[in-house]
């Protein structure tokens, strides 16, 4: 049987790397786009490389950038994919306030460039496109639980750029009958999460604190609530979404919401450590209440958490909680990971590295 060919933008990122693995396991040939960097940026996919001269190669990388229209045209033409997964993005919400124009160029116009490339190459009927939309679109939420019908209220340049991409995908679907799907994915994490996202930062910092390599963890808004899942579960949903007979928009979420504070407490509790908090706002501090494990030299009442203004956003998304009933019912999508299982895996990875 002829192998399916997929093209993944953002293949060197958290999701791109898990998706590439998943598609290879399903017998796909996977082409990925990496951008030029003066330092190595392929650590998440290095294990997928095969000898360049090997005959049955399943994984290929191509230099390009989401800001390079002609480069995208050439790669789509030369790789001839039947599925494109557009995962490339400047994906950090806080950073999008600092580099708003760049974020918009990559995240909003990036998808438009792909759509135009597919259209001008005359490949509309040959290619299905999955776009990485996001729960950040809900922003200042209009409903306590968000689904595909909930109105959007984006709260950052990142979210506004993704709003454009979301709608331009729908517009090309309706205008040119392109098979463009939006996966409205809620937060998903893993040991491969970028170091400056809150879950990865908390896990790696807590491990450093218990090992005695760091004394204080500086964080921002501890009261924000997120609906966290595992990236491995979420890339499976991407594949199901693109296989579905008609292009559509899908919420993918765990359905549970947890505050940053609770995530922090849970992570410490894996080491037998409980905390208490004193003070408020920027003066709030977290202290060790009990350290059950004698292995860790953490004194009772020692301060381990402080708040730093720099990690706050000018406009925050306070609460996200997704209703993924549609995907669960129609696509039969079910996550394997609970939040505790996710944290455990992230801690074990951190301890081993
Ligand atoms: P990530 O780890 O930050 O990966 C982003 C990828 O995009 C990386 O491969 C990055 O390359 C690449 N990229 C950035 N700018 C680029 C450019 N100008 N040209 C080409 N490639 C570029 O993000 P992720 O967590 O895997 O998320 C994947 C996608 O889902 C993103 O679009 C994100 O916005 C969206 N999303 C994520 C979540 C989540 O919770 N993870 C939830 C909803 C939606 P480098 O490796 O060189 O930096
Ligand atoms: O922040 C709070 C922060 O940066 C989560 C991206 O993948 O998911 C991600 O966006 C929460 C926020 O992720 C720190 O204020 C507190 O409320 O891990 P995050 P995010 O902003 O939710 C969505 C769905 C995407 O689409 C994005 O691409 O945690 N927070 N203290 C902190 N956040 C960070 N980063 N660092 C802190 O020290």
């Amino acid at each position: 049987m002829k192998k399916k060919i997929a093209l993944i933008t953002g293949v060197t990122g958290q999701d791109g790397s898990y998706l590439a693995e998943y598609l290879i396991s399903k017998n796909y040939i996977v082409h990925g786009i990496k951008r030029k960097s003066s330092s190595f940026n392929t650590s998440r996919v290095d294990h997928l490389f095969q000898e360049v001269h090997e005959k049955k190669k399943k994984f290929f990388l191509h230099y390009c950038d989401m800001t390079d229209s002609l480069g995208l045209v050439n790669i789509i033409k030369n790789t001839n994919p039947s599925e494109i997964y557009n995962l490339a993005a400047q994906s950090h919400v806080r950073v999008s306030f600092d580099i708003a124009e760049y974020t918009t160029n990559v995240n909003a116009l990036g998808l438009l460039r792909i759509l135009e490339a597919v259209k001008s190459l005359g490949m509309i009927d040959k290619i299905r496109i999955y776009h990485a939309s996001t729960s950040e679109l809900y922003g200042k939420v209009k409903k306590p639980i968000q689904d595909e019908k909930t109105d959007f209220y984006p709260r950052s340049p990142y979210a506004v750029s993704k709003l454009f991409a979301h709608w331009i995908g729908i517009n090309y679907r309706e205008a040119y009958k392109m098979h463009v799907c939006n996966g409205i994915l809620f937060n998903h994490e893993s040991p491969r999460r970028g170091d400056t996202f809150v879950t990865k930062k908390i896990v790696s910092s807590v491990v450093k604190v218990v090992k005695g390599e760091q004394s204080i963890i500086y964080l921002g808004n501890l009261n924000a609530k997120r609906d966290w899942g595992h990236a491995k579960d979420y890339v499976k949903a991407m594949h199901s979404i693109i296989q579905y007979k008609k292009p559509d928009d899908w919420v993918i979420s765990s359905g549970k919401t947890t505050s940053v504070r609770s995530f922090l407490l849970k992570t410490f509790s894996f080491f037998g450590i409980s905390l208490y908090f004193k003070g408020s706002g920027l003066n709030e501090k977290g202290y060790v209440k009990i350290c059950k494990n004698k292995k860790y030299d953490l004194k009772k009442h020692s301060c381990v958490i402080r708040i730093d203004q720099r990690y706050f956003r000018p406009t925050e998304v306070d609460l996200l909680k997704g209703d993924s009933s549609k995907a669960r019912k129609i696509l039969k999508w079910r996550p394997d990971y609970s939040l505790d299982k996710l944290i455990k895996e992230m801690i074990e990875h951190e301890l081993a590295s």
Side-chain angles (χ1 to χ4, degrees):
M1 214 171 76
K2 217 174 150 224
K3 282 179 191 281
K4 277 189 167 178
I5 300 173
L7 173 64
I8 305 177
T9 74
V11 77
T12 58
Q14 171 188 256
D15 292 5
S17 63
Y18 283 118
L19 179 65
E21 273 170 16
Y22 185 62
L23 294 181
I24 290 169
S25 80
K26 292 203 155 290
N27 215 20
Y28 278 67
I29 301 277
V30 175
H31 293 271
I33 289 177
K34 68 168 172 177
R35 54 184 177 155
K36 180 70 188 91
S37 159
S38 62
S39 49
F40 292 114
N41 59 355
T42 56
S43 61
R44 293 186 180 103
V45 288
D46 280 345
H47 61 290
L48 297 175
F49 276 118
Q50 291 143 308
E51 226 307 280
V52 250
H53 301 109
E54 202 177 298
K55 281 204 181 102
K56 290 188 177 161
K57 238 167 109 55
K58 291 178 187 153
F59 183 67
F60 301 84
L61 282 178
H62 309 265
Y63 280 115
C64 195
D65 197 286
M66 295 311 291
T67 58
D68 180 356
S69 305
L70 270 182
L72 290 167
V73 169
N74 288 333
I75 288 179
I76 294 170
K77 187 167 161 232
N78 295 336
T79 58
N80 193 23
S82 57
E83 296 172 12
I84 297 179
Y85 295 84
N86 181 42
L87 310 187
Q90 190 304 91
S91 74
H92 203 285
V93 174
R94 170 68 196 83
V95 173
S96 77
F97 288 95
D98 299 335
I99 47 170
E101 182 183 334
Y102 173 74
T103 302
T104 305
N105 191 0
V106 174
N107 300 4
L109 299 184
L111 178 63
L112 181 61
R113 292 182 181 106
I114 288 180
L115 297 170
E116 278 294 310
V118 170
K119 184 156 83 73
S120 62
L121 287 167
M123 297 173 88
I124 287 179
D125 296 331
K126 289 191 188 151
I127 302 181
R128 293 182 172 203
I129 298 165
Y130 170 90
H131 171 65
S133 196
T134 168
S135 54
E136 281 292 299
L137 300 188
Y138 298 117
K140 194 172 173 184
V141 294
K142 296 291 186 186
K143 278 166 69 184
I145 302 175
Q146 303 86 43
D147 64 16
E148 292 82 0
K149 295 202 171 85
T150 308
D151 286 344
F152 299 137
Y153 192 138
R155 295 272 278 173
S156 62
Y158 168 80
V160 176
S161 71
K162 286 279 186 178
L163 185 74
F164 175 90
H166 185 93
W167 278 109
I168 204 68
I170 293 174
N171 182 242
Y172 273 53
R173 186 198 291 166
E174 293 174 354
Y176 307 112
K177 307 283 171 272
M178 292 179 83
H179 195 109
V180 187
C181 330
N182 283 310
I184 308 172
L185 271 50
F186 282 62
N187 295 55
H188 45 279
E189 318 293 313
S190 74
R192 295 187 195 165
R193 187 54 143 154
D195 293 329
T196 59
F197 294 92
V198 81
T199 56
K200 177 75 169 179
K201 177 175 166 181
I202 289 174
V203 170
S204 62
S205 307
V206 170
V207 166
K208 285 198 186 99
V209 167
V210 300
K211 284 182 170 173
E213 294 167 7
Q214 182 176 338
S215 50
I216 310 268
I217 307 173
Y218 289 90
L219 290 164
N221 181 4
L222 299 183
N223 299 320
K225 289 182 157 181
R226 290 291 183 274
D227 177 330
W228 278 299
H230 195 300
K232 261 191 200 171
D233 284 330
Y234 287 45
V235 301
K236 291 180 187 164
M238 294 177 190
H239 181 250
S240 301
I241 286 171
I242 213 171
Q243 305 313 309
Y244 189 61
K245 57 186 179 218
K246 69 178 178 69
D248 205 346
D249 309 320
W250 305 85
V251 162
I252 301 296
S253 64
S254 78
K256 299 194 173 82
T257 192
T258 307
S259 66
V260 172
R261 188 186 303 275
S262 299
F263 189 97
L264 178 68
L265 292 173
K266 272 177 181 289
T267 308
F268 268 106
S269 75
F270 269 87
F271 296 92
I273 297 162
S274 58
L275 304 183
Y276 67 92
F277 290 90
K278 272 172 87 174
S280 62
L282 292 177
N283 294 319
E284 186 173 15
K285 291 180 187 144
Y287 301 89
V288 174
K289 188 168 162 193
I290 301 165
C291 177
K292 283 190 196 145
N293 197 330
K294 298 278 170 282
K295 216 163 91 186
Y296 309 121
D297 185 24
L298 275 180
K299 305 233 165 359
K300 215 173 167 179
H301 307 306
S302 59
C303 177
V304 283
I305 307 295
R306 293 194 66 169
I307 305 299
D308 188 329
Q309 175 79 60
R310 87 182 70 184
Y311 300 116
F312 284 78
R313 289 112 199 249
T315 38
E316 173 65 290
V317 173
D318 295 319
L319 162 84
L320 290 173
K321 184 175 178 182
D323 175 358
S324 51
S325 309
K326 179 176 158 186
R328 287 173 195 242
K329 188 168 167 227
I330 299 175
L331 304 177
K332 310 277 177 250
W333 176 77
R334 296 274 180 293
D336 286 335
Y337 279 83
S338 63
L339 183 59
D340 283 351
K341 193 173 161 193
L342 165 71
I343 298 176
K344 186 166 178 284
E345 187 180 304
M346 290 178 78
I347 291 174
E348 281 166 357
H349 174 86
E350 210 60 44
L351 286 169
S353 53

